[in-house]
Amino acid sequence: MFSLPKNVTLIEVGPRDGLQNEKNSIPTEAKLSFIHALQQAGIQEMEVTSFVSPKWVPQMADSTVIMQQVVKKGRQFVLTPNAKGIATAKEAGAKSMAVFVGVSDTFNKKNINQTTAESVASLLPLIDQLKKDGYFVRACISTAFHCPYEGFIAPEKTLDLCRKFSDIGVDELSVADTDGMANPAASYSLFHSLKEQFPNVLITAHFHDTRKLGLANIYSALQAGIDRFDTSAGGLGGCPFAPGSTGNVATEDVLYLLESLQIDTGLDREAICRAVDIVAPYLSRPIDTAMYQLYKRKENVS
């Protein structure tokens, strides 16, 4: 009989991964209110912004202001794709950096115009220096299961890429089902291998709910011993370089699953939904996650 973890950490990615591709411009004040409401709901680890070129990601043009004005609580990640992003993030006061690379060459080239090997070669010395300087580093591994251009990814390729980052000393590997093609069997198999091969690195599962298998994949990852998950309040998100992919698995829906399994997170599900209320009026699409819709129905009745 398998055993499930008694406690799980949810890393909230809504303010960064969730909003970066939103078509409507969201005011900085609304983003900060969203982040602070998520903190009030109990979130201790969160992607708050991204230090990328505003030419390519205009939604993140206020990253320095966000980092300077956000209430410092828990671990606050910022996405830093290159040396320039890292330098700007340091100047803004960031302490926890996230770098990213795709297992798939084609995806990586469409995303940052580099092959996977080129990305790794450029990132490893930057990570080495970050660790020497005392920063927390998370490596985000995209297309870990499937690539929209190359098809299914051999697990060995994902594990080999993760090993390169583990060897350089990253603190965490966030391993992503970027286009929502994973299934529960593949989820269990890959995350079981990751837990076995990298016992000294935090392993986090990052699922997109494109085909509505996000919760099933999380349950399988729980069985494999994973106790850290990236989730997005309101199911916000998607990837512009993965055609057809929808948002990340919703924080409030994952919370209900974990609550039903008597797994503690320290989070308030209704407070998460209230945080979504703050940003919902600015979005180009409605929030249709199960628990948010239930929350709104109850709110209307009362």
Side-chain angles (χ1 to χ4, degrees):
M1 178 67 177
F2 62 84
S3 61
L4 299 176
K6 291 183 170 57
N7 301 280
V8 158
T9 298
L10 298 187
I11 299 91
E12 176 59 51
V13 301
R16 197 284 299 176
D17 195 7
L19 296 182
Q20 69 174 2
N21 300 313
E22 170 56 41
K23 296 175 183 177
N24 295 343
S25 178
I26 300 174
T28 302
E29 294 75 17
K31 293 178 187 176
L32 286 166
S33 295
F34 181 41
I35 291 169
H36 294 151
L38 290 166
Q39 290 175 336
Q40 289 299 311
I43 295 289
Q44 294 293 320
E45 298 191 46
M46 190 182 331
E47 285 188 353
V48 294
T49 191
S50 178
F51 286 84
V52 294
S53 169
K55 175 183 176 182
W56 300 113
V57 189
Q59 194 70 254
M60 298 288 114
D62 56 0
S63 55
T64 293
V65 177
I66 292 288
M67 199 65 236
Q68 290 175 341
Q69 295 188 10
V70 72
V71 171
K72 303 300 187 288
K73 182 179 180 181
R75 186 176 289 141
Q76 298 179 329
F77 295 105
V78 297
L79 191 70
T80 52
N82 49 36
K84 182 178 180 180
I86 289 172
T88 309
K90 284 182 175 181
E91 289 173 9
K95 301 298 182 186
S96 300
M97 310 290 187
V99 300
F100 64 91
V101 64
V103 183
S104 154
D105 273 328
T106 308
F107 177 86
N108 216 61
K109 289 188 79 170
K110 286 182 179 290
N111 197 341
I112 54 173
N113 201 31
Q114 288 184 325
T115 66
T116 299
E118 288 168 343
S119 286
V120 171
S122 64
L123 287 172
L124 291 186
L126 298 175
I127 293 169
D128 186 48
Q129 190 59 52
L130 282 170
K131 290 310 303 168
K132 287 176 180 175
D133 293 342
Y135 288 86
F136 186 101
V137 180
R138 122 189 283 230
C140 301
I141 309 299
S142 301
T143 59
F145 293 88
H146 181 273
C147 167
Y149 311 103
E150 296 182 12
F152 284 99
I153 301 293
E156 294 75 20
K157 286 187 68 176
T158 298
L159 292 167
D160 286 346
L161 180 58
C162 288
R163 188 169 294 106
K164 289 179 172 65
F165 288 103
S166 173
D167 288 347
I168 201 67
V170 299
D171 300 279
E172 177 183 15
L173 291 163
S174 171
V175 180
D177 176 28
T178 304
D179 58 350
M181 283 291 286
N183 62 55
S187 170
Y188 178 87
S189 178
L190 181 61
F191 283 106
H192 184 267
S193 296
L194 286 162
K195 289 289 286 186
E196 276 195 334
Q197 295 190 29
F198 310 110
N200 298 318
V201 181
L202 294 172
I203 305 295
T204 298
H206 181 118
F207 289 107
H208 284 237
D209 208 22
T210 312
R211 292 162 181 82
K212 300 303 177 188
L213 286 180
L215 293 180
N217 289 329
I218 283 176
Y219 185 65
S220 288
L222 286 167
Q223 291 176 301
I226 299 300
D227 58 4
R228 293 174 62 82
F229 297 91
D230 287 345
T231 63
S232 179
L236 303 176
C239 179
F241 305 103
S245 70
T246 56
N248 298 276
V249 66
T251 304
E252 59 271 23
D253 289 354
V254 176
L255 268 176
Y256 180 76
L257 170 66
L258 297 174
E259 289 165 7
S260 74
L261 296 170
Q262 298 183 313
I263 296 173
D264 185 45
T265 62
L267 302 181
D268 182 332
R269 177 160 45 92
E270 193 160 298
I272 294 288
C273 290
R274 290 197 296 270
V276 176
D277 277 342
I278 293 170
V279 76
Y282 300 98
L283 302 175
S284 58
R285 67 174 179 86
I287 303 296
D288 60 0
T289 68
M291 290 299 109
Y292 184 73
Q293 288 296 313
L294 181 61
Y295 155 79
K296 296 303 284 186
R297 287 197 293 272
K298 286 181 178 178
E299 189 180 57
N300 291 336
V301 169
S302 61

